[in-house]
Amino acid sequence: MTATTAQAPILRARNVHKAFGNNEVLKGIDMDIAPSEVVAILGPSGSGKSTLLRCINRLEEINKGFIEVDGEQIGYKLQGDRLVALSSGAIARQRSKMGMVFQSFNLFPHMTVLQNVIEAPVGVHGVKRREAIELATDLIAKVGLADKLNAYPRQLSGGQQQRVAIARALAVKPKILLFDEPTSALDPELVGEVLETMRGLAKQGLTMIVVTHEIGFAREAADRVIFMDGGHIVEQGKPEDILVNPQRERTREFLRRVL
Amino acid sequence: MVDVSSTQPLSRPEALPDRQSDDLRDVAGAHRPIPKGKVLLWVVVLLFAADFARAVATNDNFGWPVVAEFFFNTTVLEGLWVTIWLAVVSMILGVMLGLPLAIARMSNDPLAKSISGLFVWFFRGTPLLVQLILWYNLSFLFPQISLSIPFGPSLAAWNANDLITPITAAIIGLALNEAAYMAEIIRGGLLSVERGQRETAEAFGMKPMRALWRVVIPQAMRSIVPPSGNQFISMIKATSLVSVIAMADLLYSVQSIYNRNFEVIPLLMVAVIWYLLIVSVLSAIQSRIERYYARGDQQRVVFDAPETVTTQEEAPL
C-alpha cells in the first residue's frame, strides 16, 4: 500500500533484486514514494534496507527489476524497445537529483564546512560560486552551525558533522533525500540534535527516505513506515498502525526487541 | 612542634605550616635535575664531533682553497643547472605518466591493468643505468623510428641517431623509470583514501574523474608527498648516472675538471656540497607541502579552544 495521493510517485521500484555473489540481499522489492512523503524503513540488520537505499542512487547496481526516480529509470534508458545501460556521466547526472546522508557522515576532510557544502552545487550543478556560498551559509545556519563555516570536519563533534552532511545534501536541492542510518554512528547524547534537524526537514515537505533504527523518529516524523526483513518488505503503513498494531509476527518480534 | 593531622600523613613534623608546604608541592615550580649520564654523553659526542670537524678543516688533502676556487666555477654551475633541470623535467614527466599508470592499475579494465602492470614490472625491474645505456644506444636496436598505423603504412620516420641525443636519452630513461616508481607511490596513496569518500563524491553526482581530482587525490596527497620527496631526492642523485652517456651534469662537470687538474677530492667535495644544498632546499619545500595537505588535520592546533567544546550542545535549527 502506498500513501494515498493523486500525484504521480517520485520514485517507483518494481521487483528489485540485488545479490552480492550468492548472497541475495533484495528479493523483489516494490515501492512507490509520493512527492513530499517521508518514509522510514525499519528492519533488523541484514534485512537489505541500506542496500535498497544504495540501489536507489546506484551506489549498487541491481540485478533484476527497475528503479525510476522522477520519471527516469536509474542507470538505464529505454530506446525504442531496447533497454540500454547509461554511461557513467549520465548516471552521475541522475544521481545529482538526489542527496544522500551517510551513517559515517563522509564529509570531505580536506575541505572546510563551507567548501563541503558548496562542492556539489558548484562542481556538479554549475551554480555560481557566490550564489552557492549564499545558499550554503543559509543552510549551515539552519542546521545550527553558523559559527563553524570555516572549521574542518575533524574539528567538529559527530553530531555537528552529521548536521553539516545534511546541509550538504540539501544544497543540491534534491528531489529525494536519502538517509542511511544517519544516527547509528553517533554517541547517544548527539542523536537528538540530528533527529531534530531531520524533523524540521520533514515538516518542510521534502521527500525523504530514512533507513533508521530510531523508532521514535519513525513514529513522529514519518508519513509511512516500511518494515523489511530478509530482503522483502514485510509490511508497511502509517506509523501508528505499523508500530502500535503490527499485523505480521516478524514485525511484532522486531518491535519487541527494539522498543 | 606542629600537630600532624591524620589526613596529611606525608608531612614531616619539622615541615613548614601546611599551606606553605602545599605551595611548595605545586609541580609548576618543580626543579628538574639534569641526568648526569646524559650530560656525559653530550660532552663525549660533541668532543668527537669537534675533533672530526678539526680533522676535516685542517686536513690539506681536502683542499678547501681549491673547493672555494671551483665552487662557483662556470663549468660546475652549468653542470649543476643540468642536474637540476634534468631532475625537475624527469620528475614532472614521471608524475604525469605515473598518475595515469596508477589509475590504470587500479581500474577494473583488464587491458589498462595489464599494460600498467607490465610497464611497472619492466622499468622497476631493470637497473636505471642499464636503461640509460639502452636508450642511448637505441639506434642499434631500431635504426629507424617511425610513426605508423600498426601493421600498416608509416606516417613519419626519423633516424634514431638524430632523435636520441644524450639529452633525450637521459630524459626518457629517467622519466620512464621515475614513472614506474611514482605509479606505485600514487597507487598506494589512492588506496589509503577511505572508500566512502569516493562513493560520497559519486553519490553527489560527480563524474569518476572529478571525484578523483577533487576528493580522492587531495586526500591521497598526504601519503603521496613524503615518498615522492624521497623519490625526488633520489632522482637528483640518480641524474649523476647520466654522466656515463656523456651528459654534462654536476658530477660529469667536476669529473671533467679533475681530469685536467687532478684535484679529485676537492672537486668531489664541490659536488657533494652542491648535492647536499639542493637536497636541503628540497626537504624544506617538502615539509611545507606536507603541512598544506595536512590542513584538515589541525584540530589540536587551531580548535582546541574551550569555547568550541561548549558549542556541541547547542540546539539545531
Side-chain angles (χ1 to χ4, degrees):
Chain A
M1 204 206 90
T2 61
T4 47
T5 140
Q7 280 171 290
I10 189 130
L11 180 142
R12 291 203 304 143
R14 289 292 176 272
N15 194 26
V16 171
H17 286 255
K18 171 69 189 172
F20 295 101
N22 290 327
N23 178 21
E24 206 175 9
V25 182
L26 298 178
K27 300 171 182 166
I29 300 289
D30 290 307
M31 181 169 78
D32 278 2
I33 308 277
S36 297
E37 197 180 9
V38 176
V39 175
I41 304 181
L42 305 178
S45 35
S47 60
K49 53 195 194 312
S50 282
T51 305
L52 175 61
L53 205 66
R54 292 165 60 83
C55 287
I56 291 174
N57 70 354
R58 211 178 174 279
L59 288 179
E60 305 293 351
E61 210 174 329
I62 62 175
N63 306 118
K64 188 169 164 53
F66 69 86
I67 297 174
E68 210 178 76
V69 172
D70 198 26
E72 269 187 69
Q73 182 171 349
I74 296 301
Y76 298 87
K77 191 177 182 177
L78 205 55
Q79 287 179 347
D81 51 5
R82 261 164 30 113
L83 189 66
V84 182
L86 290 176
S87 69
S88 62
I91 291 169
R93 198 185 46 75
Q94 290 185 328
R95 282 172 172 154
S96 68
K97 294 181 181 179
M98 296 175 252
M100 186 147 179
V101 176
F102 294 85
Q103 178 176 355
S104 46
F105 330 135
N106 292 10
L107 292 179
F108 305 132
H110 58 300
M111 299 183 188
T112 64
V113 166
L114 182 66
Q115 287 168 340
N116 263 281
V117 178
I118 64 169
E119 179 60 29
V122 173
V124 177
H125 298 258
V127 177
K128 286 211 184 67
R129 204 180 162 78
R130 258 229 336 266
E131 287 168 33
I133 290 176
E134 226 165 85
L135 173 68
T137 313
D138 199 42
L139 288 170
I140 294 164
K142 274 196 181 137
V143 298
L145 295 169
D147 57 332
K148 296 282 189 260
L149 279 184
N150 296 315
Y152 284 98
R154 289 205 178 99
Q155 298 159 347
L156 303 177
S157 73
Q160 291 172 329
Q161 289 192 44
Q162 195 59 301
R163 279 143 62 194
V164 174
I166 291 173
R168 176 175 67 171
L170 288 172
V172 299
K173 299 183 177 158
K175 303 260 184 191
I176 302 186
L177 263 176
L178 308 171
F179 291 85
D180 186 7
E181 305 198 22
T183 56
S184 300
L186 293 173
D187 291 338
E189 78 272 20
L190 302 177
V191 169
E193 62 187 72
V194 171
L195 291 180
E196 187 58 41
T197 307
M198 289 168 59
R199 268 186 218 110
L201 300 177
K203 280 189 204 127
Q204 288 168 30
L206 281 146
T207 312
M208 293 163 60
I209 304 178
V210 186
V211 168
T212 186
H213 290 292
E214 297 288 333
I215 306 293
F217 173 81
R219 183 165 42 221
E220 295 157 40
D223 299 316
R224 178 159 48 122
V225 170
I226 293 177
F227 175 72
M228 281 182 71
D229 191 21
H232 296 284
I233 292 182
V234 176
E235 66 180 310
Q236 53 178 313
K238 289 195 183 312
E240 51 269 34
D241 297 335
I242 299 295
L243 298 174
V244 179
N245 189 19
Q247 299 302 306
R248 300 300 186 89
E249 178 51 34
R250 269 193 289 180
T251 320
R252 265 178 246 147
E253 191 192 318
F254 174 75
L255 290 172
R256 262 201 303 277
R257 269 187 286 122
V258 297
L259 285 176
Chain B
M1 209 166 158
V2 182
D3 179 44
V4 183
S5 88
S6 58
T7 56
Q8 285 175 307
L10 290 178
S11 62
R12 280 163 290 144
E14 315 87 311
L16 297 157
D18 280 342
R19 208 167 57 77
Q20 204 178 342
S21 97
D22 280 356
D23 284 348
L24 289 175
R25 283 170 207 281
D26 187 347
V27 296
H31 182 72
R32 294 175 203 278
I34 299 162
K36 287 187 187 68
K38 198 170 174 181
V39 175
L40 190 69
L41 193 64
W42 269 77
V43 169
V44 171
V45 170
L46 288 178
L47 270 177
F48 271 103
D51 190 49
F52 182 70
R54 185 194 52 79
V56 170
T58 57
N59 184 338
D60 288 340
N61 295 333
F62 277 101
W64 295 116
V66 184
V67 172
E69 186 192 335
F70 283 96
F71 199 67
F72 294 108
N73 177 286
T74 332
T75 313
V76 170
L77 290 184
E78 276 167 7
L80 177 69
W81 172 238
V82 168
T83 287
I84 291 175
W85 77 249
L86 192 58
V88 169
V89 168
S90 306
M91 189 71 188
I92 291 172
L93 290 175
V95 172
M96 277 167 52
L97 190 57
L99 180 64
L101 280 170
I103 294 169
R105 194 125 196 242
M106 287 174 74
S107 79
N108 292 323
D109 186 76
L111 182 69
K113 218 175 177 155
S114 43
I115 288 178
S116 168
L118 202 65
F119 182 97
V120 171
W121 172 75
F122 182 82
F123 286 99
R124 237 177 20 164
T126 50
L128 176 57
L129 187 57
V130 174
Q131 288 173 33
L132 283 169
I133 298 172
L134 262 178
W135 283 112
Y136 188 53
N137 295 301
L138 192 70
S139 58
F140 290 123
L141 268 177
F142 301 105
Q144 195 80 355
I145 296 171
S146 63
L147 195 65
S148 67
I149 298 162
F151 303 107
S154 162
L155 303 176
W158 299 272
N159 192 334
N161 264 332
D162 300 338
L163 215 58
I164 300 295
T165 62
I167 296 177
T168 51
I171 290 178
I172 295 172
L174 289 172
L176 294 185
N177 186 266
E178 191 62 17
Y181 282 95
M182 283 311 297
E184 286 298 281
I185 289 174
I186 293 170
R187 191 170 70 95
L190 296 179
L191 284 174
S192 76
V193 179
E194 213 193 315
R195 209 176 95 100
Q197 287 290 316
R198 194 200 179 108
E199 215 166 56
T200 306
E202 292 187 357
F204 276 91
M206 290 192 206
K207 291 179 185 150
M209 273 300 142
R210 188 180 170 85
L212 197 67
W213 197 245
R214 292 286 301 172
V215 174
V216 178
I217 289 178
Q219 294 180 59
M221 287 304 276
R222 292 210 57 193
S223 36
I224 291 175
V225 171
S228 302
N230 208 9
Q231 201 52 37
F232 193 29
I233 285 169
S234 354
M235 167 66 87
I236 289 280
K237 294 175 296 171
T239 53
S240 63
L241 291 177
V242 302
S243 53
V244 300
I245 55 171
M247 176 93 183
D249 76 314
L250 181 56
L251 180 62
Y252 187 91
S253 309
V254 299
Q255 281 173 330
S256 73
I257 298 173
Y258 70 58
N259 282 339
R260 276 179 276 122
N261 68 6
F262 305 108
E263 299 275 14
V264 178
I265 296 294
L267 278 152
L268 283 179
M269 281 297 126
V270 169
V272 163
I273 294 168
W274 272 120
Y275 281 123
L276 286 175
L277 277 175
I278 303 172
V279 168
S280 308
V281 171
L282 285 178
S283 303
I285 295 172
Q286 181 187 339
S287 65
R288 290 192 73 123
I289 297 176
E290 276 174 36
R291 238 175 305 152
Y292 173 78
Y293 283 108
R295 66 195 184 282
D297 237 6
Q298 301 157 334
Q299 71 194 93
R300 284 142 284 130
V301 191
V302 190
F303 263 81
D304 237 15
E307 80 262 26
T308 58
V309 178
T310 56
T311 53
Q312 287 190 356
E313 258 62 64
E314 79 201 12
L317 274 181

